[in-house]
Amino acid sequence: MKDRKHLESGMDVLWNPRSVAMIGATNKLMKWGFIIFARMLTEGFEGEIYAVNPRDDEILGRKCYRSVLDIPGPVDLAIVVTPSPSVPDVIRRCAEKGARAAVVITSNFSEVGPEGAALEDEIVALARDAGMVLVGPNTMGICNSANNFNCLMGPVSPLPGTAACVAQSGNVGTHMLMAGVRRGLGFGKFASSGNEGLLRFEDYLWYFGRDPETRAVLGYLEGLGEGSDFIEVAREVTAKKPVVLLKGGRTGAGASAAASHTGAMAGDLAVIGGAMRQAGVILADTNKQVVDLGRALELLPLPRGRRVGILTRGGGWGVITSDACAEAGLQVAPLSKKTLSAIDKILPPYWSRGNPVDMVAVIEYKAFMDCLEILRDDPGVDSVIALGVNMDAQSEKIVESMRALGAMTEKEIAEFVRGHKAESDAFFDELRDFIAASDKPILTVGRGRDESDWKEGLMMIGEPENAAGLLGKMAEYGAYLRRRGLM
Amino acid sequence: MKDRKHLESGMDVLWNPRSVAMIGATNKLMKWGFIIFARMLTEGFEGEIYAVNPRDDEILGRKCYRSVLDIPGPVDLAIVVTPSPSVPDVIRRCAEKGARAAVVITSNFSEVGPEGAALEDEIVALARDAGMVLVGPNTMGICNSANNFNCLMGPVSPLPGTAACVAQSGNVGTHMLMAGVRRGLGFGKFASSGNEGLLRFEDYLWYFGRDPETRAVLGYLEGLGEGSDFIEVAREVTAKKPVVLLKGGRTGAGASAAASHTGAMAGDLAVIGGAMRQAGVILADTNKQVVDLGRALELLPLPRGRRVGILTRGGGWGVITSDACAEAGLQVAPLSKKTLSAIDKILPPYWSRGNPVDMVAVIEYKAFMDCLEILRDDPGVDSVIALGVNMDAQSEKIVESMRALGAMTEKEIAEFVRGHKAESDAFFDELRDFIAASDKPILTVGRGRDESDWKEGLMMIGEPENAAGLLGKMAEYGAYLRRRGLM
């Protein structure tokens, strides 16, 4: 594995600068030098923030310096948005000022052709000679929710949390952060890696692997420098924390598009996919699944095997979920006699007496929780998918009918609604606590009451296929850790 | 193909009864005889609705009859919720009354064992002898939004529309209707087919195929009677309208669960899947995809081939979409020279000059629409996936910063928001009209402004994988119709 020790202090500065200079800050409303500067000022970052631009005296109420060299205090980190031809001089001055790191948002470097590539080589050499680390160029920025430092182009303020993320597409990365907000997944450190002139994907992975504040590494990648180096880094990190990646360029068409987007060598990832999986990397199917896996891995334990118990309120959903489990590499577990007799006491005699456990017409929340507990505690079951969790729609519909018929007074309706809501809320709370206290993962499928379910720790997964998909990936990572003797 | 002509008039009555008797209507609040009766009364159905129950005189303000035979006027259709042992007598009396159809919601028939099966055989024979059709038993009901007739257990009032649906799981079918409400997909006729004692899945398919009000048939199935008969029916229907099915029991685990749920023979569908596809049936991957396909097929033309143009605001999304297209059996189309030079005039010189078309930093709506039109009009392109449609988040975030900084007055903010919203709304309207006027399907990916986008005819698909999945299935159906000389 390549030595990366020399990158560490520079990368520490990236996400924990004491002082930041924005080179190219501006008063022009829709320019990045305005949007990003405004964002840095308003997210609650407590370090120093300086504006640098020879054409302004003041920006958003802050004194604006003609050059980074004019700033009275020290500057740890430079955020650069000036036109590409100016960037070599900017980096030179930042180095002279003693900055340890630069985030070059400016584009028009290697992504536009040979001239740009030469310019990129120049700024990278300048940074390297000065012992600086450099994000980008052509990056959409970085952020760290631990200190509210946000210099992102993308319109998102991630929730605080312990996932880190590196993306070889700023747009894709931004959408991971946005999905995180909806899913309750908090991100600490994030980087859009841009053209990766200096810091490469595997450097971020290495750093996040060592970072005690990072509990999981998420990412999007299209191309790699040295595959073997990446695999060594990945193997080191996956032993300590999960690494969930979406890789673009799995197919010929994707690889061609990647070659044009990031210059990734066609077929890079087709070759390396198997090795990544062997190194314990969780390869997600979609961008959304990356984030859902991030949330699942922070809320749920890993399953100790592939055997799933399915609890459902409808036989058809049991069938669909069984198919989805099989297709995700999971097994629908045979249930023990003890489990069957325990459920016999709850469900009517004609219940399916097997897995999936169909609640048939039994709608009481208590019976649902009892069956869930019995199913979870079957020693032949490693995880549970529970479907049909949300029963609110029926009572809403009843209220609608009663109101239309004038069959209940508004007072009666209000009481009915209150009663149902209390019961439903208590059930959701109990379910969430039950899942949190379980040493086997329990995934719940159904419509959430609203987005707050995910935020409060109850993953209400819309489709059984998605639940089985998440569980299959979690089981694969669990099996990997067991093979390495780490679980 | 089996002769089904004798079923037709009975099935006409199912969805267009002039008068309906609910056998087992009740005043007991949470009973199905109450919930469903209340729903029938309140959805706007203009036919006669009678309550039948020997223990009540009045239910929800309606006179209650001791027996269906006591009802003064004619009864076309009976909805039955009385306990299973009573059902043979109920059917006898309904036959005597001259009813043409019955929907037996009651359970405890063949799904619970041999005794129940014998009882089911009895009611089926009674119905058949009387020339009645029978839905169920153990059905979750039927509905028709064309006449607001709704006798569903599931808490849903479908939107009016021209899709029909038959489901071998009431729960799964109900969720299709619910998803339809969110997606703007209207349903006409729906049936939960239950145990299929008399009317079987293929009978509904046959009927919907002939029904001039039905433009597409959706469904969920687990098991079939005679595969060859089903295939013949399907082949007849798919020539006239699309048939989109989710089939449960694709895998061993799913087939076992299906055997326990509907008694489907294990492996039924594994064997017949290929034949179904050859008969032009669109086999969906998920329940949600069934509904999304239903909506796509009513809003968009079928593609004339598999060649896709991709328009994106981020290179990474272009790569992800290219992979998704390849995995869905689609091709990322090479673009013509004419197309490339036309786009050259809009995008900066360093644009990718190929497919996917990455808008790079060009954010103007007009440029997006211009590129979309050029891409659509390339003769080598059969369909377009357009990503990054919704740009509202950025301006919301800017407002947030400006407010936090006090950099704009509330009046200025209001003006900015109004200006942006007007521009954004105009763009969405233009995009929707453009898609509606196109003879190639254009699928849009991005977060909707809210659920009204789908309802108003703009499918804002959350993930590119889903867009490619839909398009792949549409292309397959198009290829099938072309093979049969029907397109």
Side-chain angles (χ1 to χ4, degrees):
Chain A
M1 191 166 70
K2 277 188 191 163
D3 179 31
R4 290 181 166 82
K5 203 64 197 147
H6 61 286
L7 299 175
E8 193 163 29
S9 63
M11 292 184 86
D12 286 343
V13 165
L14 273 182
W15 288 288
N16 286 292
R18 290 161 306 174
S19 52
V20 184
M22 172 123 201
I23 322 293
T26 173
N27 278 311
K28 290 182 192 145
L29 191 62
M30 294 305 287
K31 291 275 188 185
W32 291 117
F34 178 85
I35 294 173
I36 300 172
F37 190 64
R39 197 160 298 162
M40 282 204 286
L41 291 177
T42 53
E43 299 265 323
F45 175 62
E46 294 185 350
E48 291 297 330
I49 298 174
Y50 301 106
V52 176
N53 182 340
R55 283 177 306 275
D56 282 299
D57 294 322
E58 196 185 281
I59 297 176
L60 290 167
R62 302 253 161 168
K63 177 173 167 55
C64 180
Y65 298 90
R66 296 182 62 79
S67 157
V68 69
L69 294 170
D70 297 338
I71 294 172
V75 169
D76 284 348
L77 170 64
I79 312 295
V80 184
V81 295
T82 55
S84 58
S86 71
V87 178
D89 269 349
V90 164
I91 298 293
R92 248 180 232 114
R93 283 190 213 111
C94 289
E96 192 181 331
K97 180 69 183 170
R100 301 299 322 283
V103 175
V104 182
I105 288 172
T106 310
S107 55
N108 284 315
F109 286 94
S110 62
E111 82 280 9
V112 301
E115 267 184 62
L119 197 62
E120 184 168 313
D121 288 346
E122 191 184 344
I123 65 167
V124 168
L126 287 167
R128 203 166 262 146
D129 289 349
M132 288 170 69
V133 297
L134 188 147
V135 178
N138 191 27
T139 165
M140 286 178 65
I142 65 171
C143 69
N144 182 6
S145 63
N147 57 358
N148 298 314
F149 176 56
N150 182 328
C151 68
L152 295 175
M153 287 166 76
V156 58
S157 306
L159 300 175
T162 57
C165 181
V166 49
Q168 285 184 341
S169 156
N171 261 304
V172 173
T174 300
H175 276 80
M176 286 187 189
L177 299 179
M178 287 171 153
V181 173
R182 293 192 295 274
R183 293 311 212 185
L185 177 67
F187 283 89
K189 301 175 177 73
F190 168 87
S192 152
S193 63
N195 292 357
E196 300 192 351
L198 196 153
L199 288 178
R200 299 191 56 101
F201 193 93
E202 44 275 36
D203 300 326
Y204 296 98
L205 180 58
W206 168 82
Y207 182 84
F208 293 151
R210 300 164 62 91
D211 176 27
E213 288 178 357
T214 294
R215 306 266 305 265
V217 185
L218 275 51
Y220 170 73
L221 92 163
E222 288 179 10
L224 290 170
E226 279 177 42
S228 59
D229 176 54
F230 174 88
I231 295 297
E232 281 179 68
V233 174
R235 214 180 119 79
E236 185 180 273
V237 180
T238 57
K240 291 184 283 186
K241 53 191 88 173
V243 175
V244 185
L245 302 181
L246 176 66
K247 64 193 187 77
R250 297 184 297 272
T251 65
S256 300
S260 144
H261 174 225
T262 48
M265 298 287 280
D268 260 13
L269 291 185
V271 177
I272 211 175
M276 285 168 68
R277 211 173 270 118
Q278 275 171 35
V281 174
I282 304 174
L283 292 176
D285 299 325
T286 67
N287 191 56
K288 190 163 158 280
Q289 196 188 46
V290 172
V291 174
D292 287 358
L293 276 165
R295 190 70 172 133
L297 289 161
E298 76 179 8
L299 288 173
L300 305 174
L302 288 173
R304 301 195 73 82
R306 296 183 176 275
R307 302 165 305 174
V308 185
I310 300 170
L311 181 63
T312 173
R313 289 189 190 276
W317 288 113
V319 174
I320 289 171
T321 308
S322 298
D323 278 333
C325 283
E327 285 165 354
L330 300 165
Q331 294 145 14
V332 179
L335 302 181
S336 73
K337 278 190 187 166
K338 194 180 152 201
T339 295
L340 295 178
S341 5
I343 298 179
D344 280 341
K345 297 196 181 81
I346 301 170
L347 300 183
Y350 53 83
W351 80 281
S352 56
R353 298 207 88 244
N355 192 11
V357 175
D358 182 355
M359 299 287 297
V360 276
V362 179
I363 59 165
E364 287 76 19
Y365 288 130
K366 183 176 181 325
F368 189 86
M369 288 305 302
D370 289 347
C371 287
L372 180 58
E373 183 167 6
I374 293 163
L375 200 50
R376 179 198 65 184
D377 292 342
D378 188 311
V381 162
D382 301 308
S383 60
V384 179
I385 297 179
L387 302 102
V389 167
N390 189 343
M391 310 248 296
D392 292 351
Q394 191 64 271
S395 72
E396 285 160 21
K397 201 74 195 160
I398 290 171
V399 164
E400 217 178 86
S401 297
M402 294 305 98
R403 185 169 280 139
L405 288 165
M408 281 165 84
T409 64
E410 282 303 317
K411 200 181 151 214
E412 283 167 333
I413 287 175
E415 244 163 68
F416 175 85
V417 168
R418 204 163 30 240
H420 180 85
K421 192 177 174 334
E423 205 188 356
S424 162
D425 284 350
F427 166 69
F428 273 90
D429 288 347
E430 187 185 349
L431 182 61
R432 191 181 51 233
D433 294 348
F434 179 85
I435 291 171
S438 293
D439 62 352
K440 298 177 183 176
I442 298 171
L443 285 88
T444 42
V445 175
R447 274 179 78 74
R449 289 166 302 174
D450 53 50
E451 282 189 351
S452 67
D453 285 322
W454 279 80
K455 286 180 187 158
E456 289 165 14
L458 185 63
M459 297 170 61
M460 292 293 289
I461 301 165
E463 308 292 319
E465 291 85 359
N466 293 346
L470 295 177
L471 201 47
K473 309 272 180 194
M474 291 168 75
E476 198 176 327
Y477 183 53
Y480 166 81
L481 290 180
R482 281 195 302 281
R483 277 198 303 278
R484 287 187 67 179
L486 296 165
M487 176 180 157
Chain B
M1 192 166 68
K2 279 188 192 162
D3 179 30
R4 289 183 166 81
K5 203 63 196 148
H6 62 286
L7 299 175
E8 194 163 27
S9 63
M11 292 183 85
D12 285 343
V13 165
L14 273 182
W15 289 289
N16 286 293
R18 288 161 307 173
S19 53
V20 185
M22 174 123 200
I23 322 293
T26 172
N27 277 310
K28 291 184 191 145
L29 193 62
M30 294 306 285
K31 291 277 188 186
W32 291 118
F34 179 85
I35 294 172
I36 299 173
F37 189 65
R39 197 160 297 162
M40 281 204 285
L41 290 178
T42 54
E43 299 265 323
F45 175 61
E46 294 184 351
E48 291 298 329
I49 298 174
Y50 300 106
V52 176
N53 183 340
R55 284 178 305 275
D56 282 300
D57 294 322
E58 196 185 284
I59 297 176
L60 291 166
R62 301 254 160 167
K63 176 172 167 54
C64 181
Y65 298 90
R66 296 182 63 80
S67 157
V68 70
L69 294 170
D70 297 339
I71 294 172
V75 169
D76 285 347
L77 171 64
I79 313 296
V80 184
V81 295
T82 54
S84 57
S86 71
V87 178
D89 268 348
V90 165
I91 298 294
R92 247 180 234 112
R93 281 190 215 110
C94 289
E96 192 180 330
K97 179 70 185 170
R100 301 300 322 282
V103 175
V104 181
I105 287 173
T106 309
S107 55
N108 285 314
F109 287 94
S110 62
E111 81 280 11
V112 302
E115 268 183 63
L119 198 61
E120 184 167 314
D121 288 345
E122 192 184 344
I123 65 167
V124 168
L126 286 166
R128 200 165 265 145
D129 289 349
M132 288 169 69
V133 298
L134 188 147
V135 178
N138 192 26
T139 165
M140 286 178 65
I142 66 170
C143 68
N144 182 6
S145 63
N147 58 357
N148 299 312
F149 177 56
N150 183 329
C151 67
L152 296 175
M153 288 167 74
V156 59
S157 305
L159 300 176
T162 58
C165 182
V166 48
Q168 284 184 341
S169 156
N171 260 305
V172 172
T174 300
H175 276 80
M176 286 187 189
L177 299 180
M178 287 171 152
V181 173
R182 293 192 294 275
R183 294 310 211 187
L185 177 66
F187 283 90
K189 302 175 177 73
F190 168 88
S192 153
S193 63
N195 293 357
E196 299 192 353
L198 197 154
L199 288 179
R200 299 191 55 99
F201 193 93
E202 44 275 35
D203 300 326
Y204 296 99
L205 179 58
W206 167 82
Y207 182 84
F208 293 151
R210 300 164 62 90
D211 175 27
E213 289 178 356
T214 295
R215 306 266 306 263
V217 186
L218 276 51
Y220 171 73
L221 92 164
E222 288 180 10
L224 290 171
E226 280 176 41
S228 59
D229 176 55
F230 174 89
I231 294 298
E232 280 178 67
V233 174
R235 214 179 120 77
E236 186 181 272
V237 180
T238 57
K240 292 184 282 186
K241 51 192 86 172
V243 175
V244 185
L245 302 181
L246 177 65
K247 64 192 187 82
R250 295 184 298 273
T251 65
S256 300
S260 144
H261 174 225
T262 46
M265 298 286 281
D268 259 14
L269 292 184
V271 176
I272 211 176
M276 286 169 68
R277 210 173 271 117
Q278 275 170 34
V281 174
I282 304 174
L283 292 175
D285 299 326
T286 66
N287 191 56
K288 189 162 159 283
Q289 196 188 46
V290 172
V291 174
D292 287 358
L293 276 166
R295 189 69 172 133
L297 289 161
E298 77 179 8
L299 287 173
L300 305 173
L302 288 173
R304 301 196 71 84
R306 297 184 175 274
R307 302 164 305 174
V308 185
I310 300 170
L311 182 63
T312 173
R313 290 189 189 276
W317 288 113
V319 174
I320 289 171
T321 308
S322 298
D323 278 332
C325 284
E327 285 165 356
L330 300 164
Q331 294 145 15
V332 179
L335 302 181
S336 73
K337 279 191 183 160
K338 195 180 152 200
T339 296
L340 296 178
S341 4
I343 298 179
D344 279 342
K345 299 197 180 80
I346 301 170
L347 300 183
Y350 53 82
W351 80 279
S352 56
R353 297 206 91 242
N355 191 10
V357 175
D358 182 356
M359 299 286 299
V360 277
V362 179
I363 57 164
E364 287 76 17
Y365 288 129
K366 182 174 181 328
F368 189 85
M369 288 306 302
D370 289 346
C371 286
L372 180 57
E373 182 167 6
I374 293 163
L375 200 50
R376 179 198 64 182
D377 293 342
D378 187 311
V381 162
D382 301 307
S383 61
V384 179
I385 298 179
L387 303 102
V389 166
N390 189 343
M391 311 247 296
D392 292 352
Q394 190 64 271
S395 73
E396 286 159 21
K397 201 75 195 161
I398 289 171
V399 165
E400 215 180 87
S401 297
M402 294 305 97
R403 185 170 278 137
L405 288 164
M408 281 164 85
T409 64
E410 282 304 317
K411 200 181 149 214
E412 283 167 333
I413 287 176
E415 243 164 69
F416 176 85
V417 168
R418 204 165 28 241
H420 179 85
K421 190 175 175 334
E423 206 188 355
S424 162
D425 285 349
F427 166 69
F428 272 90
D429 288 346
E430 187 185 348
L431 183 60
R432 190 180 53 233
D433 295 347
F434 180 85
I435 291 170
S438 293
D439 61 352
K440 298 176 183 176
I442 298 170
L443 284 88
T444 43
V445 175
R447 275 179 77 74
R449 288 165 302 175
D450 54 51
E451 281 189 354
S452 67
D453 285 322
W454 279 81
K455 286 181 188 161
E456 289 165 13
L458 186 62
M459 298 170 59
M460 292 293 289
I461 301 164
E463 308 293 319
E465 291 84 359
N466 294 346
L470 294 178
L471 201 46
K473 309 273 179 193
M474 291 168 75
E476 199 176 325
Y477 183 53
Y480 166 80
L481 290 180
R482 279 194 303 283
R483 275 199 305 278
R484 287 189 66 180
L486 297 166
M487 178 180 155

